Amino acid sequence: MTDQLSTSHSSTATLEEDDREIRATVIERVVAADDVILLTLAASDGAPLPPWRPGAHIDIHLGNGLVRQYSLCGDPDDRTTFTIGVLNAPAGRGGSSYIHQSVHVGDEVTIAGPRNHFEIEPAGRYLFIAGGIGITPIAAMIGEAIRSGTPWALVYGGRTEQSMALREELVALGDSVTLWPQDTSGLIDLSRVLGSPEPGTAIYACGPEPLLGAIETICKATWNAGALHLERFTPKAIDDSADTAFELELAQSGRRITVPAGGTALAALAEAGVHILSSCGEGTCGTCETPVLEGVVDHRDSVLTTEEQDCNDCMMVCVSRAKGPLLVLDV
């Protein structure tokens, strides 16, 4: 992926919620498309890697102090390696450029995870829509659909065919795959792709924000709630100009902590000595998800679906706030 990702997800913990840090060695580096490389990693001590399912991502701790998340696109049955795709994004926050320039075969990195907030769920049919490097989690999902015998279709867009990673492997799967290079075919015709809602079909989409925003708009208008599952690269824009202070109550100890208008719940908790595992700091990765027992959350993450936010039973403490004076956390 690019520097960050975000997801819509089920808040139920899965086998991929693994916070151990593992030293891993790059055993293969392949140029997969224009500005895209595939890195294959193995545990440096030869031990089996943690299990995962399609949609999962890992954290990579880079030598320059950055931590970034990248989707796994290999074979979940292979416990010896992890494979990720990395798009070189010079305008990003530095992670992808660092990997392209400085991470090579034989180098060691620290990884954590996998974590999965974009897990593929059983459905009668799958419609996959990918834009650019968003193909990485989708590729693993297609493998799952094939293994389960579930009908599926993929619409895969990119700037050019040469910029589209994994295109040859995907085209070899037959008529279920539609490549949509922008330079020859224009933008994906979403009104045609999504124009006929089908009961039992689950839509999984990953790619740049303009694509996902357009998909979301169409699906909200015409598809059943819950049919669409998204993974975002970047956080949604938030207006924080009217932020006010609020309090957090920690249910397990009864402590009260004040979150100032210009600060985050994550930072306030850390200052009070309460450690919540976090990674992106932008509400995009889901690592800092924290259970909420009372109060109304001002959800500002790019992970939870609208339906999940309405449940009001968790929050991403790195960005989300309270709509009232108090939130009670199960901490």
Side-chain angles (χ1 to χ4, degrees):
M1 304 290 287
T2 53
D3 284 358
Q4 289 295 148
L5 55 82
S6 64
T7 62
S8 62
H9 82 297
S10 167
S11 59
T12 302
T14 67
L15 58 83
E16 290 87 2
E17 299 299 325
D18 193 324
D19 298 325
R20 290 177 296 158
E21 292 188 354
I22 299 170
R23 290 297 289 172
T25 301
V26 179
I27 62 171
E28 187 174 44
R29 173 180 163 132
V30 176
V31 177
D34 290 349
D35 289 326
V36 179
I37 56 174
L38 294 180
L39 293 183
T40 302
L41 309 169
S44 297
D45 62 3
L49 292 167
W52 63 282
R53 295 196 65 237
H57 68 268
I58 58 173
D59 293 351
I60 297 187
H61 298 250
L62 302 174
N64 58 356
L66 298 176
V67 180
R68 295 292 182 261
Q69 293 77 41
Y70 295 95
S71 295
L72 295 170
C73 59
D75 179 3
D77 291 332
D78 179 6
R79 296 285 302 280
T80 64
T81 62
F82 285 157
T83 300
I84 60 170
V86 183
L87 170 68
N88 188 18
R93 298 192 305 145
S96 65
S97 294
Y98 178 88
I99 289 176
H100 272 255
Q101 295 169 10
S102 303
V103 178
H104 302 283
V105 172
D107 290 345
E108 280 195 332
V109 294
T110 297
I111 63 175
R115 301 187 184 94
N116 200 341
H117 298 298
F118 190 44
E119 185 169 349
I120 188 169
E121 300 173 359
R125 176 180 176 271
Y126 296 113
L127 172 58
F128 300 114
I129 305 175
I133 196 62
I135 193 60
T136 49
I138 298 298
M141 291 182 176
I142 290 171
E144 177 74 9
I146 292 171
R147 284 189 292 271
S148 67
T150 306
W152 61 276
L154 167 68
V155 178
Y156 177 17
R159 292 179 291 104
T160 66
E161 278 199 15
Q162 290 70 37
S163 72
M164 299 166 73
L166 305 175
R167 66 185 183 278
E168 293 180 0
E169 297 93 323
L170 292 166
V171 167
L173 297 177
D175 294 340
S176 294
V177 175
T178 301
L179 296 188
W180 209 299
Q182 184 176 345
D183 63 334
T184 58
S185 303
L187 297 175
I188 296 173
D189 186 351
L190 293 175
S191 61
R192 190 175 89 188
V193 172
L194 297 169
S196 301
E198 299 181 25
T201 295
I203 304 166
Y204 285 83
C206 184
E209 182 57 33
L211 173 65
L212 298 188
I215 292 172
E216 199 168 29
T217 298
I218 293 173
C219 287
K220 281 183 177 179
T222 58
W223 285 74
N224 290 333
L228 177 62
H229 308 262
L230 297 176
E231 182 170 69
R232 283 186 156 88
F233 294 160
T234 54
K236 297 177 182 179
I238 296 295
D239 180 5
D240 59 4
S241 59
D243 284 355
T244 58
F246 63 97
E247 287 198 312
L248 298 173
E249 181 177 314
L250 311 186
Q252 296 176 21
S253 65
R255 293 178 63 190
R256 289 279 185 107
I257 296 171
T258 299
V259 180
T264 67
L266 179 66
L269 288 163
E271 187 174 345
V274 181
H275 176 67
I276 302 294
L277 188 67
S278 65
S279 182
C280 71
E282 295 183 329
T284 58
C285 73
T287 304
C288 68
E289 180 178 339
T290 303
V292 175
L293 300 178
E294 296 179 31
V296 181
V297 180
D298 178 5
H299 289 287
R300 300 183 177 189
D301 66 272
S302 302
V303 178
L304 299 170
T305 65
T306 300
E307 294 81 11
E308 289 161 352
Q309 291 180 347
D310 289 344
C311 290
N312 205 61
D313 58 1
C314 67
M315 67 183 291
M316 306 303 160
V317 291
C318 66
V319 291
S320 294
R321 304 182 68 81
K323 287 187 176 180
L326 175 69
L327 289 174
V328 180
L329 306 182
D330 189 9
V331 172

